Amino acid sequence: MEGFLKLVGDLSGWIWGTPMLIILVGGSLWLTISLGFFQFKYFPFIMRETFGKIFQKAQGEGTISPFQAATSALASTIGASNIVGVPVAIAFGGPGAIFWMWLVSLIGAASKFSEIILGIKYREKNENGEYVGGPMYYLRKGLKSPFMGALFAFGLMVELIPSIATQTVSVVQTANTIGIPNMASGVVVAVVVALVVYGGIKRIAQVTEKLVPFMAMLYLVGAFIIIIGNASRIPEAIMLIFGHAFTPIAATGGFTGAAIAQSMRWGIARGVYSNEAGMGTAPIAHAAAITDHPARQALWGIFEIVVDTLIVCTTTAFVVLTTGIWKEVPADQAASMPARAFQSLLGDSLGGGIVTFSILMFVISTIIVVVYYGEKQAEYLFGIGFSKVMRVVYILAIFLGAVGGIEFLYQFLDILLAAIIIPNMIGLVLMTKEVKEIKDDFFNNPKYYPGARTKERV
């Protein structure tokens, strides 16, 4: 058994090295070029249509509002890794890793835009009258590949069991640092999640609509206090990010130094994994959105990348860099950098408390949404009745994560995740023409994009 698990670990390590980065980054670059670099060309318009219209009532068909769909998707992407994953990238790749994180996230916007467009185009109504969609639908109906649709659905349905357990471990370990027993925190998480997910997508959307802005703002306000308190070091942090994106950085203090290749590798990995672009999860939430055009809803995918990576992850990076904590803490303890940075200015109790509470909220919101994602896969494969069975399985996974007992399943997480991403990215690349036609229909029509009028007059 030990030898088998080592083989699984080696295989997942190889897959999640160069091959997965090529699939995700290469596919996103193909889509960026094919769609005419739209995320850069129309960026101001995209921000006006999302940030500028958060509270505006949507037109069209759907189950939840565009903003609710975006916050539901954000609830699963803004997780503990936004706080602890960024300093790990800096610890192993140097400050220059942040530049590569920004670049690959902007390129990944094309993948997220594309999968949401296809998620809306091929969505269906289920027995409860709710709109459902995602890669499993557009792979089956658009790509005409029931096998790949089923592969995605089955892979995600199973992958979420150990994934939820690992998320729970993060919660109970964090809560344990302030004296809360593992089982007690596990029960609280399970009850909270159950109360929300048993209300369906409408209740999930209502909760995430309020929870996501609150938890993000709490963390960001605390982080901005730290950054402002070290404002004199902001120019130095910016120089470090841009300067060492293209030049190696020498060892200093607890930091062991990093070559350009390391900077690229860790920055690209953080950019790819932080916002789930290309993973196929976002369109599951967006498929339920009220919208008058698939491309309009897909603009919210860009909004998610801006919030998740360009705002939250970047803020964490500046907290770590402006405090200088990245030079003091060894790489194997990098996850503790944000807490130490907060504590350096706000004290152990307040500073550590903000980071601890933020991680708790980030993880709970993630579990709430991924349970819904898992239910939709079960519904697609075996019907609504079986989705209710899987809901119970996911709730039980929370308890198992709290008390332990399924650690051996963690070994399969990365392989199962690869089984989800590969068919989704293949589908996006092969269906690029459809995405481009829908994108052009939106941006060339003055009904949707006011700038199209100018083009017509020229």
Side-chain angles (χ1 to χ4, degrees), residues 50-118:
T50 52
F51 281 100
K53 294 186 177 179
I54 285 175
F55 303 109
Q56 186 170 308
K57 189 174 181 180
Q59 303 295 319
E61 296 183 350
T63 307
I64 59 177
S65 75
F67 180 62
Q68 287 177 328
T71 53
S72 295
L74 268 173
S76 74
T77 56
I78 297 184
S81 63
N82 291 76
I83 298 177
V84 301
V86 174
V88 169
I90 293 173
F92 289 98
I98 303 306
F99 171 84
W100 296 107
M101 178 188 76
W102 290 337
L103 182 63
V104 78
S105 295
L106 290 170
I107 293 172
S111 292
K112 203 153 200 178
F113 179 82
S114 300
E115 59 191 7
I116 293 172
I117 275 183
L118 295 173

Side-chain angles (χ1 to χ4, degrees), residues 85-102 236-252 254-271 313 316-318 320-321 325-327 329-331 334 337:
V86 174
V88 169
I90 293 173
F92 289 98
I98 303 306
F99 171 84
W100 296 107
M101 178 188 76
W102 290 337
E236 179 190 350
I238 295 172
M239 291 288 290
L240 285 169
I241 292 171
F242 285 95
H244 292 292
F246 303 97
T247 58
I249 181 170
T252 174
F255 179 70
T256 57
I260 301 173
Q262 289 175 294
S263 177
M264 291 179 66
R265 181 253 183 270
W266 285 98
I268 289 172
R270 176 55 21 218
C313 285
T316 299
F318 273 88
V320 170
L321 294 174
I325 205 79
W326 67 281
K327 293 184 288 188
V329 178
M337 287 184 189

Side-chain angles (χ1 to χ4, degrees), residues 24 32 85 120 151 170 187 198 224 255 292:
L24 283 164
T32 293
I120 296 288
L151 176 63
S170 299
V187 169
Y198 270 89
F224 289 153
F255 179 70
D292 62 346

Side-chain angles (χ1 to χ4, degrees), residues 148-182:
M148 288 178 67
L151 176 63
F152 176 91
F154 184 78
L156 183 55
M157 182 183 74
V158 175
E159 187 270 343
L160 289 176
I161 299 172
S163 179
I164 288 169
T166 56
Q167 292 282 346
T168 306
V169 170
S170 299
V171 173
V172 299
Q173 288 181 347
T174 303
N176 197 250
T177 62
I178 55 177
I180 300 175
N182 288 4

